[in-house]
Amino acid sequence: MLYKVNEIFETIQGEGSFTGVPAIFIRLQGCPVGCSWCDTKHTWVINPDLQVTPKIVMAKSAETEQWAELSAEQVLTLFRENSYQAKHVVITGGEPCMYDLNPLCTTLHDAGYQTQIETSGTFDILVPPQSWVTVSPKVNMKGGYKVLQSALNRADEIKHPVAMDKHVVELQQLLAQTDISKKLIYLQPISQQAKATALAISYCKKHNWRLSVQVHKYIGIE
């Protein structure tokens, strides 16, 4: 199994239940969902002309649409070559669940890492049972993809982007069909907007949900 990788970097997880945890991010290329507020639009298109070597991907200093094709074993080798110390690995995108993530996650687990998947919930989630799954459901996006009930059922945490009341209504409609007794529910203000943040806080208090504020953007790290 080969994965189209846009970037790999070590940082601090800034969202959800692992906020503050040192993490290695693997950002995969490709996403057809089409979120208007997406902050990684450079990962949407898989352009064969922009395939580069792993060395070029690892040397990136800015966002680009370039990607490299890597096996799980090659990813692990890059971790070691770059002396990464974090043991928490976040697999994101793009839309990572366009890929079968079982080989990648299993290789990482066998090497002593834990994995977290960040997905829109619009593709089947193919991961080992011990992978932590964060579903950030994208409803009525330009790409026309539907949030899958199977994705919501698999989620360990559901982290919903909000800016208006209708976004919370959309979440409630999804949760109505889902057993959330063992899931963490987060609201995440879109683009750190003050009104969105106030709205999220209000609904978190009302429903006993949690707030995710994208700490990495507030402190200025990747």
Side-chain angles (χ1 to χ4, degrees):
M1 183 71 191
L2 295 175
Y3 299 92
K4 293 174 173 59
V5 178
N6 180 278
E7 59 181 337
I8 297 175
F9 58 94
E10 189 176 43
T11 185
I12 299 293
Q13 170 63 288
E15 303 178 6
S17 59
F18 288 98
T19 295
V21 174
I24 303 167
F25 274 69
I26 304 171
R27 190 177 302 285
L28 300 181
Q29 191 75 16
C31 182
V33 179
C35 304
S36 60
W37 63 81
C38 178
D39 55 6
T40 56
K41 291 182 178 180
H42 61 287
T43 66
W44 284 10
V45 178
I46 300 173
N47 185 340
D49 294 333
L50 294 178
Q51 182 176 356
V52 296
T53 65
K55 184 176 181 180
I56 290 175
V57 162
M58 297 303 293
K60 281 188 181 185
S61 59
E63 295 178 350
T64 77
E65 296 183 31
Q66 295 174 321
W67 54 274
E69 203 162 57
L70 297 168
S71 68
E73 291 74 17
Q74 286 174 309
V75 169
L76 187 59
T77 296
L78 288 173
F79 286 6
R80 292 166 174 164
E81 288 178 352
N82 286 272
S83 301
Y84 291 156
Q85 297 301 304
K87 292 299 182 181
H88 184 72
V89 179
V90 181
I91 304 171
T92 185
E95 174 45 71
C97 290
M98 291 174 62
Y99 301 86
D100 180 354
L101 298 174
N102 277 296
L104 177 56
C105 291
T106 298
T107 297
L108 293 172
H109 295 165
D110 290 345
Y113 296 89
Q114 64 180 20
T115 58
Q116 176 186 2
I117 315 304
E118 294 185 340
T119 175
S120 64
T122 57
F123 285 79
D124 290 329
I125 301 173
L126 304 176
V127 298
Q130 63 266 47
S131 292
W132 181 272
V133 175
T134 301
V135 172
S136 183
K138 302 302 190 296
V139 182
N140 297 326
M141 294 296 123
K142 183 178 180 180
Y145 286 78
K146 301 296 184 182
V147 177
L148 302 179
Q149 187 61 49
S150 61
L152 295 172
N153 292 342
R154 176 61 181 83
D156 294 290
E157 64 180 3
I158 297 173
K159 179 166 57 66
H160 194 58
V162 297
M164 297 178 284
D165 290 289
K166 75 169 188 176
H167 296 141
V168 179
V169 173
E170 291 169 349
L171 174 62
Q172 290 174 312
Q173 291 171 342
L174 293 174
L175 297 183
Q177 307 299 321
T178 308
D179 179 4
I180 60 171
S181 60
K182 296 181 180 180
K183 301 183 189 301
L184 303 177
I185 309 299
Y186 285 86
L187 295 184
Q188 184 162 289
I190 293 174
S191 302
Q192 299 80 55
Q193 300 169 15
K195 289 184 178 179
T197 302
L199 180 75
I201 290 171
S202 175
Y203 276 108
C204 283
K205 291 191 293 185
K206 181 177 180 180
H207 296 289
N208 201 29
W209 294 338
R210 300 185 179 199
L211 182 70
S212 175
V213 294
Q214 294 186 294
V215 169
H216 56 294
K217 294 185 177 180
Y218 281 98
I219 64 178
I221 63 174
E222 190 172 11

